[in-house]
Amino acid sequence: MRQRQAGFTLIEIMIAVVVIGILTAIALPSYNGYVMRARLTEAFTGLAGAQPRLEQHWSNTRSYAGFADVAGQMPPNSQNFTFSLTTATASAYTLTATGRNGALNFAYTIDQSGNRVTTSLPSGWTSSNSCWVDRKEGKCTQ
């Protein structure tokens, strides 16, 4: 009587490796996109959260100037973004979030009229002058 050998053949193992490779090639870019969108949310949250505080400052002082000097008003710098008030006059402001670390080359702004602009993106990303881009193909966050 012949005893049957147990185990996998080389072909079966190679097919499993190919299937894993294909799944990885499809899943990894999607995962990286989700991770980047989560990082960009830090900028959107900081900018949108500071806008009402800037308007309150203007309501109290009739000027946007001096907002950055008031403790606790500016959004705190995060792991991936630094925030700065690049323009602040009596009637206008521009608040900027500049990317660093995992969000390097990204920059977003908001102004006194609520205009959201993507001012800088890494190469290969599609830009927009009317919204904050959060996807490589140029789609915007609300």
Side-chain angles (χ1 to χ4, degrees):
M1 221 186 224
R2 241 175 133 180
Q3 189 174 14
R4 187 159 187 234
Q5 296 260 334
F8 297 106
T9 66
L10 182 58
I11 295 294
E12 292 170 331
I13 292 173
M14 289 183 68
I15 289 172
V17 168
V18 167
V19 168
I20 290 171
I22 291 171
L23 290 175
T24 302
I26 293 169
L28 196 56
S30 293
Y31 173 76
N32 288 338
Y34 287 123
V35 169
M36 182 55 70
R37 284 183 19 215
R39 288 180 183 146
L40 298 179
T41 301
E42 294 176 16
F44 309 150
T45 303
L47 292 172
Q51 185 181 19
R53 291 192 301 271
L54 275 152
E55 295 305 323
Q56 182 65 46
H57 181 77
W58 184 88
S59 176
N60 293 340
T61 65
R62 296 290 183 223
S63 176
Y64 295 112
F67 176 79
D69 300 332
V70 179
Q73 293 296 317
M74 286 292 292
N77 292 335
S78 66
Q79 180 180 356
N80 295 301
F81 283 92
T82 58
F83 297 91
S84 61
L85 196 56
T86 53
T87 304
T89 65
S91 60
Y93 72 85
T94 302
L95 184 61
T96 303
T98 306
R100 63 181 180 175
N101 298 329
L104 193 62
N105 298 322
F106 286 93
Y108 301 99
T109 64
I110 192 166
D111 66 14
Q112 72 285 346
S113 299
N115 297 320
R116 299 174 178 194
V117 179
T118 303
T119 58
S120 175
L121 290 170
S123 62
W125 283 64
T126 303
S127 186
S128 174
N129 289 330
S130 60
C131 65
W132 293 329
V133 173
D134 71 340
R135 291 177 177 89
K136 195 171 187 175
E137 58 275 2
K139 291 186 180 178
C140 300
T141 185
Q142 294 300 342

